[in-house]
Amino acid sequence: MFQKAMVPLNNLSRAISRDRTEINSAIAEVLSSGFVLMGPKLKQFETELAEFLNAKEVIGVATGTDALELAMKAAMPTGKTTVVTAANAGGYTTTAANRAGFNLVYADVNSDSLCIDLENVKKSMTQDVGVVVITHLYGLLTDFSELIHFCREQGIALIEDTAQALGANRNGVFAGTLGDIGTTSFYPTKNLGALGDGGAVFTNSSELADKIRSLRQYGWSSKYDVELSGGVNSRLDDIQAAILSIRLPMLNTFNRRRREIISRYREAVIGNSIHVLPADGDHHTGHLAVALTDQREVYVSELRKLDIQTDIHFPILDYRQKAWRDDSVHNENAEKATQQIFTLPCFPEMTEEEVSRVAIALKNISSKL
Ligand SMILES: *Cc1c(COP(=O)(O)O)cnc(C)c1O
C-alpha cells in the first residue's frame, strides 16, 4: 500500500518557495544599500505597518517577547510594579515581565473566549497593578471595551499582545490599537512571518513611542547619550523588514484562508464530542485551529494513525511551569481548557487535499464518539 504524506501542522518551505523571487531581490536591495540595521527598509516597513493598522507609530524590534518587555517598561506608571495577564498564553508575557523586573498576577480567562475579561481582571486587582496584558489568543479579537474603560479609569496601562492576532479588526479598528500599546511577533510561523526573529510595538501615543524607540537602543536619546535606564539592544534588521514588506500586502488573504480552513473543520464534525473554536469574521485571524474535547487522547491518536499532526497550545499554564511554579494560584477556566485543547493543521499554504483529509478524519472520528 502506498504511504500518504504527513499533513503537517505547518510547513514554512511552501511560503518560502512561493515568495522566493521577491525575497531574493529584496535581500539584494538591502545588500546594495549597505544599510543592514536601522536603515531605509526598516523605516519603510514601519510606515507600511502603521498604515495597515491605522496606528500612529510602529517600532520594529528583535522579537515579540522583546516587544512585550519594552512595552511594559514604557507603560508601567511610576510607583507601580505589577502586571496582570493570563496564564494560558504560552509564557511570553511572564518571560518579558521577569526580564523587566515586574511582578505578575494571573487573571482567569473567560470560558468561551479563553481570554481575560473585566470580571476576572477585577478579581486579580491589587494596589500595585500598573499594567494589564491581554493576549488575543489563537487570533480572536474579543470585544474588550469594558476592560479598556476600566483600565483608563484606574490609570492602568493596557497592552495588547497581537502575536497571534495581527490583522484582526472590528469595523476597521485593529487589534493592538485599542489599548495603550500593541505588540506583535514576526516569528516565522506567525500570520505575518519573517525568515528569522522579529517583532514590533505599535501605539497612538508619541510619548510612549519615543520611550520605546529609546529603549530598543540602549536607552539612548541620541547616539551614545543614555537617557533612560532599562534600555536593551533589540532591533528589527533591514533584511527581515524587507521580507515583511513583501508579505504584508498578502496578510488579509492569508488570514481569510486560515478562517476558511477552520470553517471546514467546524462543518465536518458530527455530534458534540468536540468543539472546534470558531474563526468566523474579520475579528479573527485564524492563527490556530484549536479544538476542545474531553476525549483528546482518542482524537490525537486517531489523527496520528492517519498521519495528521497535532499539537497543544499551550500544554502548561505559566504558574504550573517548573521555573515559575506557584501553587497558590488556581484559574479554573484556564485549567479546564488546558486539559481539553489541541491544535489541528492550519496554514495558508495547505492544499485542498490536506484540508479535506483533516476534515474527513474529524468527521469519521467524531461520528463514532
Ligand atoms: C509567538 C508569541 C510571542 C513571542 O514572540 P517571539 O517573537 O517568539 O518572542 C508572544 N506572544 C504570543 C501570544 C505568541 O504567540
Side-chain angles (χ1 to χ4, degrees):
M1 216 182 85
F2 100 104
Q3 181 93 28
K4 272 192 179 172
M6 173 79 85
V7 182
L9 257 193
N10 217 317
N11 179 333
L12 295 176
S13 337
R14 295 184 197 175
I16 294 174
S17 326
R18 182 196 57 215
D19 304 336
R20 187 137 204 163
T21 315
E22 288 99 323
I23 291 169
N24 280 337
S25 42
I27 294 173
E29 253 186 84
V30 173
L31 300 186
S32 316
S33 83
F35 289 100
V36 293
L37 285 170
M38 305 299 277
K41 287 292 180 188
L42 172 63
K43 196 82 236 153
Q44 184 192 328
F45 173 67
E46 287 176 338
T47 306
E48 289 165 355
L49 185 58
E51 265 167 33
F52 176 88
L53 294 169
N54 197 19
K56 222 156 127 192
E57 312 259 9
V58 169
I59 303 112
V61 296
T63 72
T65 309
D66 283 2
L68 283 164
E69 178 189 343
L70 299 190
M72 283 174 200
K73 282 176 172 169
M76 183 64 83
T78 314
K80 306 285 181 181
T81 53
T82 297
V83 176
V84 173
T85 196
N88 67 338
Y92 307 102
T93 296
T94 299
T95 301
N98 285 345
R99 233 161 44 178
F102 298 137
N103 303 316
L104 282 150
V105 173
Y106 296 108
D108 201 0
V109 294
N110 177 283
S111 56
D112 292 322
S113 69
L114 303 185
C115 191
I116 57 167
D117 58 13
L118 177 61
E119 199 188 322
N120 286 299
V121 168
K122 270 188 174 165
K123 287 183 203 155
S124 320
M125 285 308 294
T126 69
Q127 283 298 312
D128 290 330
V129 173
V131 167
V132 170
V133 179
I134 181 168
T135 307
H136 301 307
L137 199 67
Y138 310 144
L140 168 66
L141 174 62
T142 57
D143 177 356
F144 62 113
S145 39
E146 288 180 336
L147 182 60
I148 298 173
H149 291 306
F150 173 79
C151 288
R152 224 163 260 162
E153 258 172 37
Q154 304 284 318
I156 294 167
L158 184 56
I159 297 174
E160 300 174 70
D161 180 354
T162 73
Q164 304 192 352
L166 194 66
N169 68 90
R170 288 184 180 270
N171 304 314
V173 182
F174 282 80
T177 67
L178 290 118
D180 297 289
I181 307 191
T183 66
T184 203
S185 163
F186 305 119
Y187 182 79
T189 60
K190 306 294 187 194
N191 291 37
L192 180 61
L195 295 176
D197 276 314
V201 182
F202 4 103
T203 178
N204 288 320
S205 153
S206 328
E207 195 189 326
L208 287 172
D210 288 345
K211 270 198 200 169
I212 290 158
R213 280 202 187 88
S214 165
L215 291 171
R216 85 169 155 185
Q217 283 207 107
Y218 324 108
W220 283 353
S221 54
S222 59
K223 207 170 179 186
Y224 308 135
D225 189 346
V226 181
E227 184 181 59
L228 294 181
S229 68
V232 299
N233 170 12
S234 182
R235 295 174 289 231
L236 177 64
D237 71 71
D238 277 55
I239 287 182
Q240 298 306 334
I243 292 165
L244 292 166
S245 284
I246 295 166
R247 291 180 166 176
L248 179 60
M250 298 186 267
L251 180 59
N252 285 330
T253 311
F254 293 157
N255 290 354
R256 203 174 309 121
R257 175 65 181 150
R258 287 172 184 270
R259 290 196 294 268
E260 264 169 32
I261 294 168
I262 292 171
S263 300
R264 291 277 296 281
Y265 297 165
R266 279 173 60 78
E267 286 156 15
V269 299
I270 291 172
N272 44 25
S273 68
I274 186 167
H275 171 59
V276 180
L277 293 175
D280 51 4
D282 289 341
H283 60 279
H284 206 301
T285 63
H287 176 63
L288 293 174
V290 173
L292 281 89
T293 173
D294 289 328
Q295 297 174 82
R296 180 165 69 188
E297 274 171 41
V298 178
Y299 274 96
V300 168
S301 72
E302 290 300 313
L303 288 163
R304 189 185 299 120
K305 282 184 207 156
L306 298 164
D307 280 323
I308 295 168
Q309 262 187 357
T310 63
D311 202 349
I312 297 175
H313 295 91
F314 295 94
I316 306 173
L317 293 173
D318 294 12
Y319 59 82
R320 296 261 182 260
Q321 295 283 2
K322 281 191 206 80
W324 305 326
R325 188 157 186 121
D326 182 349
D327 289 330
S328 70
V329 189
H330 177 61
N331 291 168
E332 199 180 328
N333 296 335
E335 284 176 23
K336 180 147 190 266
T338 302
Q339 302 306 312
Q340 296 179 322
I341 46 170
F342 74 100
T343 305
L344 293 155
C346 179
F347 57 102
E349 300 80 23
M350 273 181 92
T351 64
E352 268 307 304
E353 194 243 328
E354 288 170 332
V355 177
S356 296
R357 268 177 65 191
V358 179
I360 291 166
L362 286 174
K363 185 177 171 191
N364 291 340
I365 303 165
S366 62
S367 72
K368 290 183 202 121
L369 294 175

